[in-house]
Amino acid sequence: MSPIVGSPAARVDGRAKVTGAATYTADTHVRGALHGFLVLSTIANGRVTGIDTEEAERSPGVVAVLTHESMPRLAVPTSQLAAYWKRVIPLQNADVHHSGQPVAYVVAETLEQAQHAASLVGVSYDARTPRARLSGAMDEAYVPGPGLEGPNEVTRGDPEAGLAQADVRLDVSYTTPMHHHNALEPSATTAVWDGTRLTVHETAQGVNATRLSLAEALGVPLADVRVLSRFVGGGFGAKGPVWPHTLLTAAVARQLRRPVKLVLSRAQAYTSHGHRPEAHQRFRIGATRDGRLTAIDHITTSQVSRTEDLLFNTSEPTRMLYACPHVHVAQRAVRLHLPAPSNMRSPEVVASHGLETALDELSYELGLDPIELRLRNYTSDNPDNGSAFGSKHLKECYRRGADAFGWSRRDPRPRSMRDGDTLIGWGMASAAHTAGGRPGAGARVVISADGKAVVQVATNDIGTGTGTVMSQVAAESLGLELDDVNFALGDTDYPYAFVSAASATVPGVGAAVNRACTTARGSVIGIAVADTRSPLYGIPADRITVEGGILYDTDRPRRRDTVRAVVTRYGAPVEATTDPVPIPPGYSTGAVFAEVRVDPRLGQVRVTRMHGVFDAGRVLNRRTLRSQAIGGAVWAVGFTLSEHTLVDHRLGRIVNPNLSGYLVPVNADIPDIHVGFVDEPDPANPDALGARGFGETPMTGMTAAIGNAVYHATGRRVRDLPITQDKIIGDGDAR
């Protein structure tokens, strides 16, 4: 029998999604539900001095218009997992901290009535001049205290001494703009109260975090809150935190004693949940003439809001990826009148982009091939703490990736490769992202008399294929066919799971599912060998194998029974539950390569080839894993060449909160993407079958590979993303 784990199984929820049978949060119908719509501030700094709601309240279908004077009071959640905005909930007072902050909540019988009434609300302000430009406030930067990922400043060795010892030194800076998630599914909440019990349908990457935040904010027992999120149409980090609009909707529903549904518009999403903040990075790097790193000093300065200072651009690549004896990293914050940032897919990509671009610059200074420079600084141990990685096959990724891409045919001289008048550039970089190191998950499995199993975990599938992969793990661990397993998720009534984020779902949920299902399989075997009616009666349990729903004696394979028959004779379902176990830290790596073609007259850049070879531990499903790698590459094209949120710095207002002005890649922008995997189990997490978290890794590295290819093609080093046409042909921030 072919193994189920590792096979490229099609998505178990694919048919439901393409036929419209999948019910997303905004599709959820609750009888008698009212519709909410937010009125957002038009200033970025100041106070509300008056709100005229009379015309809106007289509008047909309107049930209520709530302002900071009438909105129920809410407690600020204390759990860091529950909310990233730690100090301020809007509509609790008259203060305005950023443009697009909710200043009124309109509730009506229909969505159209709520939208119309919202346009009738008049708001007057005491407006003050906002601070909304990072470059104009760099002198106010400070290093905040520890955040979600630990300390914001780390020193190893003596970086200044290491720089002094270097034969070659670089001092370079890179900037990346504000980015927004733009998931296909908008954020949505439907809140339903039944007495003191609350049920919330939510677009959540973490139903348990949402539950905790709601309980704290509303002052109700955790046991009285249930959160459901069956399908999520993309999250990318935005739906990991619990944002104020969710809490406000639940509070409004309680006050009005009717269910309330709120669906954010595309424009509202730009200010109602987080984004990747604008960042400035300065690297000072020292190396010996033969390419050994002696020191790295890496300072990142990012935008935060006026009320929050959590940072999400960590410097793990600088600290962990290469052997360097002297390292200093610091994350600095600048408070601006802009919405609070949050995690966005591959939060380490900002640091990775800077580091991998700086190493490319260093390779030219040293006259070394970029791969050779990385190999000379290779480490199998984690330099950040001195411990060995569970496994790391990055050298194999370099070798296989270079062979597949044809790297040996590259002429390293800038502007040396052409096709007629078109400039051709090849670039490469290392991909790396932390994975795991988070609270784990529990799981419950129930095998019924029909020989089928239901596995329950309160995790979420944000489009990554979690439901499919976990069904495969369960089927193989139970010894059942894939079609005989139903993986149920997205419900806080199921065993706990951490947020579907931080590349922690496969190692955490996978381990829990494997443990629970292995226990359940053992129970079935135990029942069979103790049952005088079973053909396997009296056989030692360790001689029994279960495959495809068949139990058989490995010494005498013709002695068989079935899971269905065993459970039927037993007279009750066979159940097993496992509690959460912390996920060991992991580090997924890879080598990525990009080819670009540049029109030197127009400055137009086209990515024409993309290759990546990755070490993600054991591959549980090659199809879904490849999908993650392709998605990361597509994100990298957008990050490097087009995506940037524009802010009117005089008003602190986002001016392109839509997909007509915020330019994401489309199919015509993406070439064939070639992906390979080393596929070696990571012994650090045997419960997860040697798999490691991976989803965020592919975007890292590829952004720098594209930028490095642009330099190779043109001889212009664009250090200010995105690399737009004007920066290729103009005098912008380029060399």
Side-chain angles (χ1 to χ4, degrees):
M1 174 180 288
S2 300
I4 297 173
V5 168
S7 68
R11 292 179 184 251
V12 296
D13 57 2
R15 180 175 294 275
K17 289 181 174 179
V18 301
T19 60
T23 302
Y24 292 83
T25 299
D27 302 325
T28 302
H29 175 72
V30 175
R31 183 184 298 274
L34 300 169
H35 292 264
F37 198 80
L38 299 175
V39 179
L40 304 182
S41 68
T42 57
I43 68 166
N45 181 24
R47 288 179 59 83
V48 174
T49 57
I51 299 184
D52 182 357
T53 62
E54 289 187 8
E55 188 177 0
E57 290 169 335
R58 291 196 303 267
S59 183
V62 171
V63 175
V65 180
L66 294 100
T67 71
H68 67 276
E69 295 176 340
S70 55
M71 178 64 70
R73 300 300 98 173
L74 297 168
V76 176
T78 59
S79 169
Q80 217 168 35
L81 281 177
Y84 288 169
W85 36 274
K86 299 298 296 178
R87 300 185 181 92
V88 172
I89 299 177
L91 286 171
Q92 302 292 287
N93 57 45
D95 295 335
V96 176
H97 304 286
H98 65 84
S99 180
Q101 175 182 313
V103 292
Y105 194 121
V106 178
V107 186
E109 296 290 344
T110 70
L111 174 61
E112 292 77 13
Q113 289 170 337
Q115 289 174 323
H116 175 66
S119 70
L120 303 178
V121 176
V123 186
S124 56
Y125 303 96
D126 173 16
R128 303 161 197 161
T129 302
R131 298 290 300 277
R133 188 190 296 272
L134 179 64
S135 60
M138 292 284 284
D139 58 343
E140 300 176 12
Y142 66 99
V143 177
L148 290 174
E149 308 300 331
N152 282 309
E153 186 163 22
V154 175
T155 301
R156 182 171 74 236
D158 187 342
E160 294 301 329
L163 288 168
Q165 296 164 7
D167 299 318
V168 176
R169 285 177 287 274
L170 285 182
D171 189 341
V172 290
S173 295
Y174 308 99
T175 62
T176 50
M178 181 188 294
H179 292 135
H180 273 82
H181 303 78
N182 283 295
L184 183 63
E185 178 198 25
S187 290
T189 305
T190 298
V192 184
W193 288 88
D194 182 4
T196 60
R197 294 184 60 82
L198 170 66
T199 298
V200 172
H201 302 268
E202 178 68 25
T203 50
Q205 290 180 232
V207 289
N208 287 295
T210 305
R211 182 192 193 197
L212 176 60
S213 186
L214 286 163
E216 291 183 337
L218 296 164
V220 298
L222 191 65
D224 285 348
V225 181
R226 183 185 185 191
V227 178
L228 299 167
S229 187
R230 304 293 194 192
F231 294 93
V232 182
F236 315 119
K239 296 169 185 173
V242 186
W243 297 101
H245 62 267
T246 300
L247 309 185
L248 295 173
T249 300
V252 170
R254 181 166 63 177
Q255 177 156 312
L256 299 180
R257 299 183 179 181
R258 287 184 64 180
V260 175
K261 173 188 281 190
L262 175 76
V263 180
L264 296 183
S265 69
R266 177 68 59 183
Q268 289 173 340
Y270 276 70
T271 58
S272 296
H273 55 59
H275 59 273
R276 196 190 315 276
E278 181 182 1
H280 174 281
Q281 297 183 83
R282 182 187 179 191
F283 281 87
R284 292 189 299 151
I285 298 181
T288 61
R289 181 56 61 186
D290 66 353
R292 311 286 177 176
L293 294 172
T294 62
I296 304 177
D297 180 43
H298 178 191
I299 309 297
T300 304
T301 306
S302 302
Q303 162 258 323
V304 296
S305 72
R306 296 299 295 183
T307 59
E308 325 298 334
D309 61 6
L310 278 178
L311 293 170
F312 306 93
N313 167 31
T314 52
S315 293
E316 276 94 339
T318 304
R319 291 157 43 192
M320 296 174 61
L321 188 50
Y322 300 107
C324 183
H326 307 291
V327 174
H328 170 250
V329 300
Q331 319 292 328
R332 306 193 309 170
V334 173
R335 293 191 185 278
L336 298 177
H337 291 100
L338 293 171
S342 75
N343 274 324
M344 188 169 176
R345 188 169 180 83
S346 304
E348 294 166 28
V349 72
V350 174
S352 169
H353 179 81
L355 176 65
E356 293 299 305
T357 305
L359 287 183
D360 197 68
E361 297 204 39
L362 182 62
S363 73
Y364 280 97
E365 292 289 335
L366 295 170
L368 276 177
D369 181 88
I371 296 178
E372 180 60 29
L373 174 61
R374 287 161 174 82
L375 288 172
R376 293 187 185 186
N377 294 282
Y378 189 87
T379 175
S380 297
D381 297 332
N382 181 351
D384 202 34
N385 57 25
S387 63
F389 291 112
S391 65
K392 184 181 178 184
H393 300 283
L394 182 54
K395 283 185 178 180
E396 178 68 6
C397 296
Y398 289 141
R399 184 189 67 78
R400 289 175 50 182
D403 289 346
F405 191 76
W407 186 258
S408 61
R409 301 193 303 272
R410 173 180 178 265
D411 185 332
R413 296 171 300 164
R415 301 180 68 92
S416 62
M417 298 173 65
R418 295 173 178 262
D419 180 5
D421 292 335
T422 301
L423 301 174
I424 299 174
W426 289 6
M428 65 80 55
S430 300
H433 203 286
T434 54
R438 296 295 195 278
R444 180 187 304 120
V445 57
V446 180
I447 307 173
S448 58
D450 60 2
K452 299 180 183 295
V454 174
V455 183
Q456 299 172 331
V457 185
T459 187
N460 294 93
D461 189 335
I462 56 176
T464 54
T466 298
T468 304
V469 174
M470 294 307 136
S471 295
Q472 290 175 267
V473 172
E476 185 151 306
S477 299
L478 288 167
L480 298 178
E481 299 286 1
L482 183 59
D483 289 343
D484 290 333
V485 172
N486 174 22
F487 184 74
L489 74 171
D491 187 338
T492 52
D493 280 356
Y494 300 158
Y496 173 86
F498 180 69
V499 176
S500 186
S503 296
T505 302
V506 161
V509 177
V513 169
N514 181 39
R515 290 196 306 272
C517 292
T518 299
T519 300
R521 184 190 66 215
S523 296
V524 171
I525 293 172
I527 293 168
V529 300
D531 185 351
T532 58
R533 297 166 292 176
S534 172
L536 302 177
Y537 172 69
I539 297 174
D542 59 6
R543 276 177 34 194
I544 305 300
T545 296
V546 188
E547 289 184 354
I550 307 296
L551 296 84
Y552 64 89
D553 180 356
T554 54
D555 287 355
R556 301 171 63 186
R558 291 187 178 182
R559 297 185 64 177
R560 297 183 168 214
D561 205 341
T562 67
V563 172
R564 179 175 181 176
V566 170
V567 179
T568 297
R569 290 194 302 266
Y570 183 61
V574 175
E575 301 185 23
T577 302
T578 183
D579 294 325
V581 174
I583 310 165
Y587 203 44
S588 290
T589 59
V592 292
F593 300 80
E595 176 186 87
V596 300
R597 290 178 173 246
V598 182
D599 184 326
R601 295 163 299 180
L602 302 178
Q604 184 181 55
V605 178
R606 303 282 303 181
V607 180
T608 49
R609 281 200 300 149
M610 304 173 84
H611 282 246
V613 177
F614 302 97
D615 171 23
R618 184 181 179 187
V619 175
L620 301 184
N621 182 318
R622 189 167 295 273
R623 183 182 301 195
T624 57
L625 200 66
R626 179 175 180 271
S627 176
Q628 289 297 286
I630 290 173
V634 173
W635 270 68
V637 173
F639 181 100
T640 313
L641 299 182
S642 65
E643 292 189 44
H644 56 310
T645 304
L646 300 173
V647 176
D648 183 326
H649 296 113
R650 299 166 303 167
L651 301 175
R653 185 178 301 167
I654 294 173
V655 298
N656 61 334
N658 51 66
L659 290 175
S660 63
Y662 186 96
L663 304 180
V664 298
V666 297
N667 285 346
D669 299 313
I670 305 300
D672 286 339
I673 300 169
H674 300 272
V675 178
F677 300 100
V678 174
D679 198 3
E680 289 287 342
D682 187 338
N685 194 4
D687 280 356
L689 308 179
R692 200 188 304 117
F694 174 70
E696 294 171 298
T697 302
M699 184 181 176
T700 64
M702 190 59 83
T703 66
I706 296 170
N708 295 339
V710 170
Y711 174 75
H712 180 232
T714 66
R716 293 182 65 82
R717 182 71 70 177
V718 181
R719 302 191 180 100
D720 176 26
L721 294 189
I723 302 175
T724 48
Q725 292 174 249
D726 56 307
K727 295 170 185 173
I728 297 294
I729 62 178
D731 297 326
D733 186 13
R735 185 179 68 189

